[in-house]
Amino acid sequence: MKEYNTLDDFTVENKTVLLRVDFNMPLDKKTLNITDDTRIRLALPTIQELINKKAKIVILAHQGKQGSWDFISMQRHAETLQKLLGKQVTFIDDIYTEKAKHAIQTMKPGNVVFLDNVRKYSAETEKKKPEEHAQSDLVKNLAPLADLYVNDAFAAAHRAQCSLTGFTVVLPSAAGRLMEKELTSLERVVSKPEKPSVFLFGGAKFADGIATIDRLLTNKTADHVLLTGLTANAFLKAKGVNLGKKNEEAFGEEGTPEIFTEIKKVYNKFEKQIHLPVDFAIEENGKRKEIPLAGLPIEKNLFDIGEKTIQQYKKLLEPAKTIFISGPCGVYENPLFRKGTEEIFKFIAQSKAFSIAGGGHTVAAIEQMKLREKISHISTGGGALEKFMMGEKLAVVEALKTAKQRQLIQVKQK
Ligand code: 3PG
């Protein structure tokens, strides 16, 4: 018996279902087109099941966050979903005012309406309790039009945000099929990882991962942590390495003095187990050029790890029985800087270790390199997966559990 409801617990025919998915996709910086549709494809079973059961499906999702370059409307997402479903998906450039409400009220069973980016509503990202979010304009306007709330956004399950938790207070709520699959498969693998275990962190976000790295090493869940990308650069900076102005600017808002103090503390504690790149790739005259650590500072962006780092990391990965991958090793979208990610990911794919990969960009890189079948478990989660790996509570899962409890109490009282 699950602690949360699933689609098995409800009849949905002719019911209006608010479906929160995580379609926060990797985009092409120039065209803003979706470069990898994995997250949408993985959510298809839930959407298809709801269509087959003749529900009216109202999709809520986010892309990027206010102020980021990838903060765009959900139109492209709706178009991609329409193509994959082979069925009309109506995009509405509104979230909860008259246009959205009218579209919902005029839906027929089996229809799919896709509302705009929920993060255009500024209260969406406020960190609040579900009960407080339930008082928001978003929930107050949409909940009365719906019969059921389904959350399939595992990748955002660590965010205590309005559209992710607020509806669970006022509507019968269930986990979607993807959420259910992620939770059941991850529960099976995170409790006792087979040793040695190696955790690889990379990509372009780093602040959220620091506490995770600390806990993984403190709990002895991880034997080795291999760093690449912006996370590696942040550790190098905290260690006192001068990266050069361009690379320092790349830390953006996440690069606060407090975060570097925190990183330094973690590094000092686990210096022997945290591994940092010893060489890098930069662009020179349109070509890839590798430079050693001693070549820093440099007024060019570090776009990939270099050959020596690749070899050192492979040696550490070789005896591993459990490997966790979060984030590509470099700017793999650019063929000049794909080498680090490609070599390391291919090495993991052919190893006998139980491998888990998570995060939008990680999964996109795995797809691009056609390695999906060779990784033991692919999770759609980035930050959510890391938190799950640490045994931390996920706001969305907690909200779904509370919703089930609330419902059981109501049934008893009747
Ligand atoms: C993700 O892509 O990891 C989730 O959608 C969460 O995105 P966020 O880090 O912008 O909240």
Side-chain angles (χ1 to χ4, degrees), residues 22 24 39 62 64-65 119 155-156 158-159 161 205 208 382-383:
D22 190 323
N24 192 24
R39 277 189 176 175
H62 75 275
K65 54 181 167 227
R119 288 191 178 171
H158 58 313
R159 301 286 185 216
Q161 298 178 351
K205 289 183 191 171
D208 284 351

Side-chain angles (χ1 to χ4, degrees), residues 4 11 46 53 66 105 113 116 157 160 164 201 254 276 356 365:
Y4 47 86
T11 348
T46 303
K53 289 182 170 168
Q66 287 195 20
Q105 279 159 335
V113 157
D116 207 354
L164 289 158
F201 289 95
E254 290 194 357
L276 297 171
I356 308 171

Side-chain angles (χ1 to χ4, degrees), residues 224-235:
H224 293 283
V225 170
L226 316 185
L227 301 182
T228 63
L230 212 59
T231 317
N233 292 0
F235 271 76

Side-chain angles (χ1 to χ4, degrees), residues 376-390:
S376 318
H377 178 75
I378 303 256
S379 172
T380 52
L385 175 62
E386 280 169 32
K387 294 239 155 47
F388 189 97
M389 300 287 293
M390 296 305 306

